Amino acid sequence: MKLIKQFCSFVGKEIDIKQASLINIIRSEIAEKGAISFPRFWHQALLHEKFGYYMKQDVFNKDGDFVTSVEISQMFNELIGIWLLNTFQHIGVLDNNFRPTNQKMHILEFGPGLGTLSSNVLRVFAQFNLLENLQYSYVEYSDYMRKKQQEAVLKQLQKSNIYPKYEYNNQKVEKFESAEVNLKWFKMYEHFLYEETREGQHCDPVLILAHEFFDALPVNIFEYSGGQWCEKLVGLDQDGKTLKFILSNGPNQNVYKVLNPDKYFSPEIKKLIKEGDTIEISPQSGVIANSLAELIAKVGGAALIIDYGEKRAFSDSIRAIQRHKLMDKNDILNKPGDCDLSAYVNFMALEQAALKVEGIKVPELMTQGNWLEQMGIQARLQILCKNANKATEKRLQSEYERLVHSNQMGSNFKFMCIHRTKNNNLFPFIQDAQQIYY
Ligand code: SAH
């Protein structure tokens, strides 16, 4: 009898271990608390401490699930490096000869992926002999990605004979310091704000980069049903296993808090709304854009936000990608942790959130193709091709086309800038540059 009991509990344990998958964790949460909001599902799918998509694997390179512009070509990253130098000069952190002043150069990057953009930016700064008086801060939620980024960045700095030392402290920041550069990784933006912009602390201007970060932030989905707005929640099908979207029973708290339809839609739009219409809203994106604008208004600097999207809200833009393939819409909920989730970025919402802050300007969006051309990608291509063999030249040419051409990444991806009104005409976000569209 005793033996059978022991055997049963052993079998039970076996099953538990096998079932400790993310989908089971989410199922249990729903079984316990009822249907959850889509942002809660999203957070678990991408950032669950053990099983989240970004927490455990390389998702960016050729063998991963997708390739971003920063992984496609060094030209892209170098031009961002040049933009940073030019902007530091424009706002007075570097002098007219691109030499340091008494202000520190401070860069803050959100969601740095494999650390490739940052490594290339540091290489550009090294070429201009400007790897001094530099602080590079990173916001990265995933422990796994932070390690990858640190490896890449430290390897790059070694090439300039810079060996920053890890400085242990028990706060929520991982620091690497040397006489020249100061690197700081924060798990969350809130930690950065607490650590770097506390009252009474001296703050230098900061240039902020966010490449394919905002599209990774969750959206709430609302649907007009039965003459009222409801939220699309994640619940369980009758089999008690399959996750599926279900509508809230009438307007729930989020309908009022996140959408607020009375205020959100103009009277003209209200007349056009019909049964079954949906809208996606990312409250976290608005909060971050507003906070970045506040930071820039307070300490100076600018933000460069790069992503795919447009100046409008989307109704059906959520995508799940696995191994370079767009997954079937019905599978979005049933492979949490195994595929990437993203939503098109509503740049209008980011702009409105930023413009709530006094003294802040958001110039017209630029397409990626236009921005890269204005920054001189063709000149850079030519220089690289000069010293290249035929095969490399062909590769560089195809990288250029992939980044710039409108039927590739040139027009879906946009560059948005947030800066102080008094730092007007931040290149290349100037009127003339808008004339050419790719
Ligand atoms: N910028 C890189 C990576 C883009 S993917 C590139 O373009 O290749 C999104 C990145 O943001 C990943 O590094 C991911 O781990 C991180 N991330 C996603 N959600 C986050 C969050 N809420 N807070 C901080 N980092 C996040």
Side-chain angles (χ1 to χ4, degrees):
M1 194 59 188
K2 210 175 156 201
L3 207 64
I4 291 174
K5 261 192 187 162
Q6 266 178 9
F7 175 71
C8 285
S9 64
F10 177 69
V11 171
K13 269 186 197 145
E14 272 274 307
I15 290 169
D16 273 347
I17 290 165
K18 277 200 189 123
Q19 290 187 342
S21 64
L22 188 51
I23 193 149
N24 275 343
I25 293 169
I26 297 172
R27 279 179 192 140
S28 313
E29 186 174 339
I30 297 172
E32 198 185 310
K33 297 187 195 149
I36 55 174
S37 72
F38 190 51
R40 170 65 186 160
F41 170 85
W42 184 300
H43 179 85
Q44 294 287 73
L46 295 190
L47 303 175
H48 179 276
E49 289 300 335
K50 188 154 174 224
F51 300 112
Y53 180 73
Y54 284 120
M55 310 302 266
K56 56 186 169 58
Q57 57 205 331
D58 270 359
V59 292
F60 302 100
N61 46 30
K62 282 197 285 324
D63 312 321
D65 289 329
F66 56 92
V67 187
T68 59
S69 294
V70 305
E71 299 300 328
I72 288 175
S73 174
Q74 68 179 83
M75 293 184 284
F76 185 88
N77 304 336
E78 287 165 351
L79 292 176
I80 291 177
I82 298 294
W83 183 84
L84 291 167
L85 288 176
N86 196 49
T87 307
F88 274 133
Q89 189 204 47
H90 188 90
I91 65 175
V93 173
L94 293 175
D95 71 14
N96 286 344
N97 301 315
F98 288 97
R99 297 322 309 157
T101 60
N102 57 357
Q103 290 183 307
K104 189 174 62 188
M105 287 187 287
H106 189 179
I107 300 168
L108 164 64
E109 186 181 344
F110 280 84
L114 295 176
T116 314
L117 172 60
S118 154
S119 301
N120 286 188
V121 162
L122 290 169
R123 187 163 51 77
V124 171
F125 276 55
Q127 272 163 7
F128 283 84
N129 243 337
L130 279 169
L131 278 187
E132 58 186 280
N133 216 9
L134 173 70
Q135 177 177 334
Y136 208 126
S137 301
Y138 305 83
V139 171
E140 172 56 66
Y141 193 87
S142 156
D143 296 351
Y144 178 84
M145 298 310 299
R146 276 203 305 280
K147 288 272 163 311
K148 287 263 157 202
Q149 292 152 18
Q150 287 161 4
E151 276 165 30
V153 168
L154 294 177
K155 202 167 147 201
Q156 179 60 46
L157 288 173
Q158 279 174 19
K159 293 182 187 159
S160 302
N161 287 323
I162 295 176
Y163 298 87
K165 291 258 169 333
Y166 181 65
E167 204 205 77
Y168 175 77
N169 71 39
N170 56 7
Q171 281 153 349
K172 294 199 158 108
V173 45
E174 291 166 30
K175 290 188 197 173
F176 292 82
E177 287 187 344
S178 75
E180 300 87 356
V181 291
N182 185 353
L183 311 166
K184 294 187 185 181
W185 269 267
F186 301 87
K187 188 176 173 92
M188 291 160 81
Y189 178 48
E190 289 85 336
H191 301 157
F192 168 87
L193 288 177
Y194 175 75
E195 190 69 22
E196 297 297 306
T197 66
R198 252 177 291 180
E199 272 317 305
Q201 192 163 330
H202 170 77
C203 303
D204 288 307
V206 54
L207 296 185
I208 300 151
L209 299 175
H211 185 263
E212 290 214 34
F213 171 75
F214 279 92
D215 70 87
L217 298 182
V219 293
N220 291 80
I221 316 170
F222 300 100
E223 183 174 318
Y224 195 66
S225 168
Q228 53 188 354
W229 284 98
C230 304
E231 186 179 6
K232 269 175 109 172
L233 303 167
V234 180
L236 284 172
D237 209 347
Q238 274 168 351
D239 63 7
K241 278 176 129 189
T242 317
L243 299 185
K244 68 166 197 172
F245 280 117
I246 54 168
L247 275 190
S248 66
N249 199 1
N252 65 1
Q253 244 196 358
N254 284 341
V255 168
Y256 297 111
K257 261 185 18 205
V258 178
L259 174 63
N260 198 357
D262 285 343
K263 266 183 132 181
Y264 191 88
F265 300 108
S266 66
E268 298 77 48
I269 297 285
K270 275 185 191 148
K271 282 188 214 141
L272 301 174
I273 294 171
K274 49 185 191 320
E275 197 65 12
D277 279 352
T278 56
I279 185 165
E280 299 163 358
I281 295 187
S282 169
Q284 205 183 345
S285 299
V287 169
I288 295 178
N290 178 261
S291 170
L292 294 181
E294 271 181 356
L295 178 65
I296 292 165
K298 183 173 157 197
V299 308
L304 188 63
I305 297 171
I306 308 160
D307 230 305
Y308 48 93
E310 287 172 31
K311 274 179 87 170
R312 65 178 177 90
F314 292 89
S315 61
D316 188 19
S317 79
I318 293 152
R319 304 195 303 179
I321 292 183
Q322 193 178 30
R323 305 256 160 266
H324 300 278
K325 283 214 183 77
L326 202 57
M327 285 174 53
D328 192 284
K329 283 231 151 69
N330 299 324
D331 282 340
I332 286 185
L333 296 182
N334 285 294
K335 298 240 171 113
D338 289 338
C339 57
D340 182 37
L341 285 176
S342 70
Y344 278 43
V345 172
N346 176 353
F347 284 102
M348 182 59 93
L350 299 189
E351 180 176 320
Q352 284 169 348
L355 289 178
K356 281 190 192 146
V357 180
E358 216 173 295
I360 284 297
K361 183 171 171 185
V362 179
E364 200 45 62
L365 274 188
M366 293 180 79
T367 60
Q368 173 159 309
N370 190 15
W371 193 90
L372 291 171
E373 291 290 10
Q374 297 296 333
M375 288 297 299
I377 190 168
Q378 293 212 20
R380 184 70 189 133
L381 176 67
Q382 273 164 20
I383 291 172
L384 290 173
C385 284
K386 236 187 196 166
N387 305 318
N389 60 28
K390 273 270 162 285
T392 312
E393 201 180 319
K394 209 168 148 205
R395 175 178 57 77
L396 288 165
Q397 184 64 34
S398 93
E399 288 173 3
Y400 162 81
E401 285 167 14
R402 197 153 167 210
L403 293 174
V404 169
H405 280 188
S406 61
N407 57 355
Q408 302 206 39
M409 298 171 99
S411 57
N412 287 348
F413 281 80
K414 310 290 189 314
F415 278 59
M416 176 185 180
C417 185
I418 302 173
H419 63 80
R420 277 177 166 179
T421 316
K422 67 176 181 200
N423 295 135
N424 219 353
N425 289 339
L426 258 193
F427 190 81
F429 295 92
I430 49 180
Q431 217 50 45
D432 285 351
Q434 313 304 320
Q435 306 298 326
I436 312 164
Y437 270 92
Y438 289 88

